[in-house]
Amino acid sequence: MTTLHISNWVNGVHAPPSADTLVVTNPADESLIASVDATSRATVDDIISRSLHNFKHGAWPRADASQRFNVLAKAASLLRTRMPEFVELEVRQTGRPVREMQAQLSRIPEWLEYFAGLARVHEGSVTPFKGPVVNTLVRQPLGVVALITPWNHPILVSMKKIGAALAAGNIVIVKPSELAPISILKMGDLFQEAGLPSGSLQIISGYGRDTGKFLCESKHLARIDLTGGLETYRAIAPGAALNLIPITAELGGKAPVCIFPSVEVELAVKAALFASFIASGQTCVTGSRLLVHTDIYDEFVALLTTRTKALRIGDPTDPQTQIGAVINEAAVERCAAFTARAVAEGGKLLCGGSRFGSKGFFFEPTLIETHAESHLACNEVFGPVIALLRCDSEDEIVRIANGTEFALGASVWTQDFTQAHRVADKIEAGIVWVNAHHLNDPSSAWGGFKTSGMGKENGREAYESYTKVKSTVYNYGVLPTWFDDVENARYG
């Protein structure tokens, strides 16, 4: 049987298939979904050249705010009408349960609408310049921007970046992960139908080590926006620095879930399950460290273990499934390796710890009691393997929460109002939730500190990062007179 092929989206059409291709696999049953282009350096360079021409001569960078608003708002409307199609694609290529993907994708049009509205109302300014001078500051698009997006939230993360970049008037090149590129490749015609001028959004597929590298090495980019791993950032950062290209990077996390004794144990357990096992633990803000106060620790652990064992693992297309697949065989092996090392370091395996089933890439939801300095407690698994730590005090919870190189997200669970403020203020993370986890909104800046990255997605911060500020100074006072006598000056 011939495998469906989905080629790059370039200048408003699906380009002819490349000579080299790669296949995309359904992680739940290991079946082939489609093949996509493994884009070569020569093709990448050609697409960048076309994109640069489109920025210099095309309509989108010169479109006024109302035009950008209309196109992005129409794209949001079209996405809503095609939601079942994209939910099905996301489930097949990521292995995530359909109940999760329906909930996540239902909100994604809001990102396009938010940035459409921001483009419409964002204003320049006039500074208090000294003297008879008017100084205007206006924001202009950067140029050609490269967006490197991940496999765990293909559409969500892409729309965060695409919405902000297009709203600001840039020409956008998206390189989705080779593990889950299909839904993004199918976004091209949606934006085309919404009225986006051809060539304003280019979508190219391929391996990160090749196509992604070729793209990020170009000196013609105005910005790189990466969601991925620290090693990927370290691979592209030297070249970007050499070419003076700024990078926004959302990298990794080791989010602590800080649970205090004022929280009812039943609620605390529900909070931990949600924080830890959404997307089978494959998010950058997975609640992968449960820091539980000793006063409720034993009761909490007993109930959490029982509830974790009861989670329904299986077919992601079944609405009753709670835990889907991890992305590939390497992810299964990584989860198993983290589990084995944690136990070897003295950790207590409470449940899980093994591959699930004989077909597909499933790993059991796993809980391990461990200590703050263990490998499991300090490093990102990106899977459903969770560290449980008993803490004797608020100070210890804060110290352990801040004790890794990551600082993306954290949550604080307490019914003590003053404690909530006090602890949230002390925790080092770009996103701190109080009595919540995973909450996201297009208006809320998203990004981490330390090795979790730099820069922000979402909000005004993201929109403005895709612009450059131009200062124009108008002197309406007395013209300069210092060199009026220059014709009479004598030079030695």
Side-chain angles (χ1 to χ4, degrees), residues 216 218-224 239-247:
C216 292
S218 173
K219 65 181 180 180
H220 299 297
L221 301 179
R223 173 172 288 278
I224 297 169
L242 185 65
N243 292 317
L244 297 179
I245 299 171
I247 300 177

Side-chain angles (χ1 to χ4, degrees), residues 117-194:
L118 195 55
R120 189 71 180 87
V121 304
H122 199 282
E123 299 175 346
S125 60
V126 177
T127 69
F129 204 108
K130 185 177 181 179
V133 172
V134 173
N135 180 198
T136 62
L137 302 182
V138 296
R139 290 187 175 271
Q140 300 178 332
L142 292 174
V144 178
V145 298
L147 314 183
I148 311 298
T149 64
W151 52 261
N152 58 332
H153 305 292
I155 294 181
L156 173 63
V157 175
S158 295
M159 288 304 105
K160 284 183 177 183
K161 301 179 191 298
I162 290 171
L166 286 179
N170 296 282
I171 301 299
V172 176
I173 304 176
V174 185
K175 161 53 180 77
S177 167
E178 63 268 25
L179 298 176
I182 299 172
S183 58
I184 308 308
L185 286 165
K186 285 183 171 289
M187 280 289 172
D189 63 356
L190 184 146
F191 279 93
Q192 189 87 350
E193 185 179 348

Side-chain angles (χ1 to χ4, degrees), residues 79 82-109 150-157 180 183-184 278-280 282-283 316-319 321-322 324-325:
L79 182 54
R82 293 176 59 180
M83 196 61 67
E85 170 194 350
F86 284 106
V87 167
E88 189 267 341
L89 284 173
E90 293 283 87
V91 170
R92 289 179 66 204
Q93 66 182 356
T94 67
R96 288 185 60 180
V98 65
R99 60 195 291 167
E100 287 184 14
M101 298 317 299
Q102 287 172 335
Q104 185 180 91
L105 266 65
S106 68
R107 292 204 59 206
I108 290 175
W151 52 261
N152 58 332
H153 305 292
I155 294 181
L156 173 63
V157 175
S183 58
I184 308 308
I278 288 292
S280 297
Q282 298 173 115
T283 82
T317 65
D318 184 345
T321 295
Q322 295 170 303

Side-chain angles (χ1 to χ4, degrees), residues 16-92:
S18 66
D20 296 319
T21 63
L22 61 93
V23 295
V24 183
T25 301
N26 184 332
D29 61 13
E30 302 179 53
S31 64
L32 299 183
I33 303 173
S35 65
V36 298
D37 294 343
T39 310
S40 67
R41 181 185 290 276
T43 302
V44 170
D45 289 344
D46 178 64
I47 292 170
I48 294 172
S49 178
R50 294 190 192 193
S51 299
L52 191 62
H53 179 272
N54 294 340
F55 179 72
K56 291 179 178 178
H57 305 289
W60 188 247
R62 289 151 192 82
D64 61 34
S66 63
Q67 291 173 298
R68 294 176 193 165
F69 172 87
N70 290 336
V71 168
L72 293 177
K74 179 68 178 300
S77 177
L78 291 171
L79 182 54
R80 280 195 176 91
T81 66
R82 293 176 59 180
M83 196 61 67
E85 170 194 350
F86 284 106
V87 167
E88 189 267 341
L89 284 173
E90 293 283 87
V91 170
R92 289 179 66 204

Side-chain angles (χ1 to χ4, degrees), residues 142-333:
L142 292 174
V144 178
V145 298
L147 314 183
I148 311 298
T149 64
W151 52 261
N152 58 332
H153 305 292
I155 294 181
L156 173 63
V157 175
S158 295
M159 288 304 105
K160 284 183 177 183
K161 301 179 191 298
I162 290 171
L166 286 179
N170 296 282
I171 301 299
V172 176
I173 304 176
V174 185
K175 161 53 180 77
S177 167
E178 63 268 25
L179 298 176
I182 299 172
S183 58
I184 308 308
L185 286 165
K186 285 183 171 289
M187 280 289 172
D189 63 356
L190 184 146
F191 279 93
Q192 189 87 350
E193 185 179 348
L196 185 69
S198 296
S200 304
L201 173 64
Q202 320 275 43
I203 307 170
I204 61 174
S205 60
Y207 294 106
R209 64 178 181 268
D210 298 322
T211 305
K213 180 173 180 286
F214 303 152
L215 177 61
C216 292
E217 286 177 344
S218 173
K219 65 181 180 180
H220 299 297
L221 301 179
R223 173 172 288 278
I224 297 169
D225 192 338
L226 162 71
T227 296
L230 183 58
E231 291 308 310
T232 302
Y233 170 77
R234 287 173 172 159
I236 68 174
L242 185 65
N243 292 317
L244 297 179
I245 299 171
I247 300 177
T248 295
E250 202 263 55
L251 304 174
K254 194 67 182 175
V257 180
C258 306
I259 300 176
F260 292 94
S262 61
V263 179
E264 182 186 352
V265 171
E266 175 78 21
L267 173 60
V269 167
K270 289 180 178 179
L273 291 171
F274 178 69
S276 300
F277 295 123
I278 288 292
S280 297
Q282 298 173 115
T283 82
C284 296
V285 292
T286 288
S288 54
R289 293 183 292 155
L290 305 181
L291 314 184
V292 185
H293 195 281
T294 189
D295 288 357
I296 61 169
Y297 183 84
D298 292 333
E299 184 181 359
F300 171 87
V301 169
L303 183 57
L304 178 66
T305 303
T306 298
R307 295 286 176 82
T308 301
K309 290 178 179 178
L311 291 171
R312 294 184 294 274
I313 313 170
D315 180 3
T317 65
D318 184 345
Q320 299 303 310
T321 295
Q322 295 170 303
I323 303 294
V326 293
I327 192 64
N328 56 17
E329 182 68 29
V332 173
E333 294 172 357

